[in-house]
Amino acid sequence: MNRTERGRREFTEVMTFAPPSDNTAAATALIDFVFGEVWPRPALSRRDRRFITLPCVAAADAENPLRDHVYAALNSGDLSITEIRETVLHFAVYGGWPKASRFNMTVDEQWDRIHRERGQQPPAPEPLLPLPTASDPELRLAGGEQSFKDINCMPYAPIRDNPYSGAGILNFVFGEMWLRPGLGMKERRLVTVACVAFQDAPVPILSHVYAALKSRDVTFDEMDEVALHFAAYYGWPKASHLNQVISEQKQRVLDEWRAEA
């Protein structure tokens, strides 16, 4: 089987529909490299790759790729409707609420489309997942502080001295969102790393790559693969920076593990 045949087969399996028939340079590279070489690589599962691809296409304002990848993630069964809705919420925090609004509408549209294609009625919306955190304001902030330290593998949390840190970071982002049961920790790490990589956010990219590795939620080999997959969906220049950060944080984590041992 040649490269193009392998790519077309992989495209069909990943996207759950036939590949494009045009032979432009972009379409050929998409089939031969992105699907023929990147998606089949064993260091990340196809499901894991969905959590990198979705935030990239949602952030890129790419209407057709967003529609197609949402459809593929749901139609393949790789992601449940609950998981993809939680991905939208997580993306909203790290990629922006306006872009997440389009992402959310696309999920609704493609969920309905899938059921129409199967001759089914779309199910009633699932009830919102229960909030896992305390309703008492002081307990909620204290829980957010501990969650921030645990998730970021840091001994301290932000000071509650302004709305961004208190109401935002401690109360909601780490006081609720990261603790919601609809997505696992590894999946949230993958979405977050993709988002901070395309945001050009110098501190978050360092802290989230470090925490994903230090926590062992993402292995060194998996993180290297994240950079490659990200490059395919958001561009090589930003991926080059991500790759550099990964190299630096791997060494930092190794040094800390040696010191701890």
Side-chain angles (χ1 to χ4, degrees):
M1 181 182 297
N2 64 35
R3 191 179 185 188
T4 298
E5 289 172 339
R6 183 172 67 247
R8 292 181 69 84
R9 183 187 66 180
E10 188 70 20
F11 182 102
T12 302
E13 292 178 359
V14 170
M15 302 305 295
T16 71
F17 55 83
S21 58
D22 67 89
N23 59 357
T24 61
T28 300
L30 176 73
I31 298 298
D32 290 358
F33 178 68
V34 177
F35 286 94
E37 301 292 338
V38 175
W39 276 90
R41 288 171 61 87
L44 283 175
S45 69
R46 189 176 75 181
R47 171 182 159 83
D48 288 340
R49 293 179 186 278
R50 303 279 192 198
F51 291 104
I52 305 163
T53 307
L54 287 168
C56 286
V57 295
D61 298 321
E63 184 174 349
N64 289 344
L66 176 59
R67 179 199 63 213
D68 291 346
H69 281 286
V70 166
Y71 175 85
L74 291 169
N75 197 42
S76 65
D78 288 342
L79 274 65
S80 70
I81 186 61
T82 297
E83 289 173 325
I84 203 165
R85 292 196 192 284
E86 286 294 318
T87 298
V88 172
L89 175 61
H90 201 99
F91 173 84
V93 167
Y94 286 101
W97 292 87
K99 289 180 184 288
S101 176
R102 172 184 283 183
F103 191 179
N104 191 58
M105 289 188 291
T106 302
V107 169
D108 289 342
E109 292 165 357
Q110 297 310 304
W111 188 233
D112 287 346
R113 172 190 170 189
I114 287 167
H115 285 83
R116 289 196 309 271
E117 289 177 348
R118 297 175 182 178
Q120 302 169 348
Q121 288 292 324
E126 294 182 353
L128 293 176
L129 294 175
L131 300 182
T133 48
S135 57
D136 177 82
E138 182 59 33
L139 291 176
R140 186 175 173 88
L141 284 171
E145 289 169 337
Q146 186 60 52
S147 172
F148 182 96
K149 291 186 283 189
D150 292 344
I151 289 168
N152 288 287
C153 304
M154 297 173 64
Y156 58 85
I159 300 171
R160 318 173 188 176
D161 61 348
N162 60 62
Y164 172 83
S165 296
I169 296 296
L170 297 179
N171 186 300
F172 178 67
V173 178
F174 290 94
E176 179 186 335
M177 188 199 68
W178 273 92
L179 304 177
R180 290 174 61 83
L183 274 182
M185 189 58 67
K186 179 180 183 180
E187 290 80 9
R188 292 189 183 278
R189 300 280 194 197
L190 294 174
V191 173
T192 305
V193 168
C195 288
V196 295
F198 62 63
Q199 291 283 16
D200 297 319
V203 174
I205 193 172
L206 294 174
S207 62
H208 283 291
V209 168
Y210 165 80
L213 294 171
K214 184 66 183 289
S215 64
R216 302 179 192 267
D217 290 329
V218 182
T219 69
F220 283 20
D221 288 345
E222 287 174 331
M223 190 63 83
D224 287 340
E225 200 69 24
V226 168
L228 173 61
H229 199 94
F230 176 85
Y233 280 93
Y234 213 85
W236 296 91
K238 288 181 184 287
S240 177
H241 180 223
L242 174 59
N243 195 55
Q244 179 183 348
V245 170
I246 290 169
S247 179
E248 293 167 352
Q249 297 310 303
K250 283 163 67 175
Q251 188 59 54
R252 175 186 173 188
V253 169
L254 284 172
D255 290 343
E256 291 180 356
W257 283 344
R258 292 191 189 103
E260 291 164 2

